[in-house]
Amino acid sequence: MQHYFLSEPLGIGQTVSLPKDIAHRVSRVRRSKIDDELELVDQNHHVFLAKIVSLENKSVEVEIFAEQTRQVELQQEVTLLVGMPKKEKAEWIIQKGTELGATTFIFFNSRYAVAKLKADRLAKKLDRLNTIAKQAAEQSRRSIVPEVKVLDKLSDLELSEFDHTVVAYEEAAKQSEKSNLVKVFEQVQTSQKLLGVFGPEGGLAEEEVTTLVDQGATIAALGPRILRVETAPLYFLSTLSYQTELNH
Amino acid sequence: MQHYFLSEPLGIGQTVSLPKDIAHRVSRVRRSKIDDELELVDQNHHVFLAKIVSLENKSVEVEIFAEQTRQVELQQEVTLLVGMPKKEKAEWIIQKGTELGATTFIFFNSRYAVAKLKADRLAKKLDRLNTIAKQAAEQSRRSIVPEVKVLDKLSDLELSEFDHTVVAYEEAAKQSEKSNLVKVFEQVQTSQKLLGVFGPEGGLAEEEVTTLVDQGATIAALGPRILRVETAPLYFLSTLSYQTELNH
């Protein structure tokens, strides 16, 4: 089902004229017809079911007839902090991470990062990544659009903003550390803020890990296999879902 | 570290002349030098550390000096049965699924599959997919190379070969089914055979699900969000790892 984000409050029974860009996508790109149903998310992250009642050249009107109350968001606000990977991998992490429930993506200039964030191209790159997050949120029918940000240095981040921080560290996998991830996930409460930190292709530098641990982060292995930069965040989100959404 | 599969038994102290194709990759593609280390997996899935002792035009000799005993394989043999998705998605599932520990991939002609397996191109396609599995196994340093197969009809599969079968079914996610995946994973024993079944882009047909359930399969939701064909198998493998490798 088509799924769009509007920047206004909505309610059952309301008739809404869709913004131009969305109207274009509904009528021209998806070729919808009168009576077709779609989902609209309002500014308060409520999801409504609407039916097309009029459809002209550039304008589409829908009538809201129900609210979708199924909980589709993770119970925690999850931020993924990832050493800047190559372009396609960053886009993949956003797409799949959005599908799996992440709230925020922060890419940072890790010491061993292959791709560096260049100031002159940053604004454009960030725009593109945020567009990808929005498209992914529409496609996976989220009730929020995750935000994508960048961070110049790891030390610019206030870890105290988060209730739990987990650092996925390759060395932990090699040393067969087994249960730290489970320990953190078992402690996590509803509505808490969770940060997952992942190295770029080259891995995290030891001093980067130390900086995080000194601020209270937990080092954890994501199983005994060494996962690539674009796979580790998906393992993290999947297993958080398993622990908090399925296992109770 | 470079990681290659050999089709012979190996032992510590042995000097091995690498097969031509691997020698080429070591000397030309990776431009390795004398004393560089690499991992070799023998026909019995044992992983050895070796050091390059001679390196000429087309021949590379290595000496095996240690065995790598860290357990990198999942404790279960996991087969992913996936409705044939589009090409890039099939390749992605193999790459990431190999990284996350799958043993076998079977693609089948699901009723709603967008991509159909055509007999004339099948052999070539299968070759390509098996090559991808081998490359992924090298890159993620597995001790086995997963096998890729195809299946004409779902009914050609003997479910009795497997100790547990889980069907990831979108309708279960919509109905907020929560704990079946956990129930199965909690019962899974070491060395058992596990089958995960995933629909193609169009989802599984109801009669396909019924066929599986009649043979004892468990329907399970992979969290409340609807996952795409290439994401669901990764959720399945990640959470199996979490339950069986981390959570004990």
Side-chain angles (χ1 to χ4, degrees), chain B residues 110-149:
Chain B
S110 171
R111 174 154 169 207
Y112 295 144
V114 178
K116 295 283 177 187
L117 300 166
K118 288 174 195 125
D120 55 332
R121 298 206 211 136
L122 198 57
K124 204 175 153 191
K125 182 166 195 168
L126 206 49
D127 264 3
R128 161 124 185 97
L129 295 178
N130 272 297
T131 302
I132 288 173
K134 188 167 187 189
Q135 289 167 345
E138 287 173 356
Q139 282 170 11
S140 58
R141 296 160 64 183
R142 293 281 302 274
S143 65
I144 60 159
V145 178
E147 192 183 358
V148 185
K149 303 190 227 179

Side-chain angles (χ1 to χ4, degrees), chain B residues 1-229:
Chain B
M1 184 168 328
Q2 293 176 72
H3 183 98
Y4 301 103
F5 291 87
L6 300 191
S7 52
E8 53 194 296
L10 300 172
I12 294 171
Q14 210 177 313
T15 303
V16 182
S17 179
L18 296 180
K20 266 191 186 167
D21 59 325
I22 297 178
H24 174 79
R25 289 167 63 195
V26 169
S27 66
R28 297 305 180 89
V29 182
R30 302 293 297 261
R31 295 167 188 269
S32 304
K33 302 196 181 70
I34 298 273
D35 282 348
D36 279 1
E37 294 180 8
L38 41 84
E39 283 178 352
L40 297 178
V41 187
D42 79 355
Q43 62 172 19
N44 305 315
H45 315 300
H46 295 153
V47 184
F48 293 92
L49 287 164
K51 187 178 280 196
I52 297 175
V53 291
S54 93
L55 192 135
E56 281 169 33
N57 209 351
K58 284 178 182 169
S59 93
V60 176
E61 277 191 345
V62 301
E63 196 179 291
I64 294 171
F65 66 91
E67 184 170 350
Q68 168 69 274
T69 54
R70 190 164 62 87
Q71 169 65 272
V72 295
E73 296 295 332
L74 281 169
Q75 292 152 22
Q76 291 76 32
E77 263 187 61
V78 181
T79 299
L80 301 180
L81 176 64
V82 185
M84 192 70 213
K86 291 182 191 160
K87 181 167 167 267
E88 318 77 58
K89 294 197 172 183
E91 297 184 359
W92 177 267
I93 290 168
I94 294 171
Q95 272 175 24
K96 293 293 141 200
T98 298
E99 202 179 323
L100 289 164
T103 311
T104 310
F105 300 88
I106 308 177
F107 294 100
F108 72 104
N109 272 324
S110 171
R111 174 154 169 207
Y112 295 144
V114 178
K116 295 283 177 187
L117 300 166
K118 288 174 195 125
D120 55 332
R121 298 206 211 136
L122 198 57
K124 204 175 153 191
K125 182 166 195 168
L126 206 49
D127 264 3
R128 161 124 185 97
L129 295 178
N130 272 297
T131 302
I132 288 173
K134 188 167 187 189
Q135 289 167 345
E138 287 173 356
Q139 282 170 11
S140 58
R141 296 160 64 183
R142 293 281 302 274
S143 65
I144 60 159
V145 178
E147 192 183 358
V148 185
K149 303 190 227 179
V150 295
L151 188 73
D152 189 39
K153 295 190 304 294
L154 199 54
S155 51
D156 291 348
L157 192 78
E158 277 292 335
L159 238 57
S160 57
E161 286 177 32
F162 301 93
D163 298 295
H164 303 276
T165 297
V166 173
V167 184
Y169 191 39
E170 201 171 274
E171 294 305 317
K174 287 186 191 151
Q175 285 153 28
S176 301
E177 180 285 310
K178 277 183 172 176
S179 58
N180 280 352
L181 190 70
V182 177
K183 278 182 206 150
V184 173
F185 284 178
E186 281 178 349
Q187 285 168 27
V188 161
Q189 305 291 316
T190 300
S191 304
Q192 282 192 329
K193 292 187 181 184
L194 196 57
L195 176 68
V197 188
F198 306 89
E201 286 90 343
L204 289 168
E206 217 180 301
E207 70 264 24
E208 290 172 331
V209 175
T210 307
T211 303
L212 294 162
V213 171
D214 285 350
Q215 292 181 74
T218 303
I219 292 180
L222 308 181
R225 288 164 297 284
I226 293 168
L227 303 181
R228 306 192 143 215
V229 54

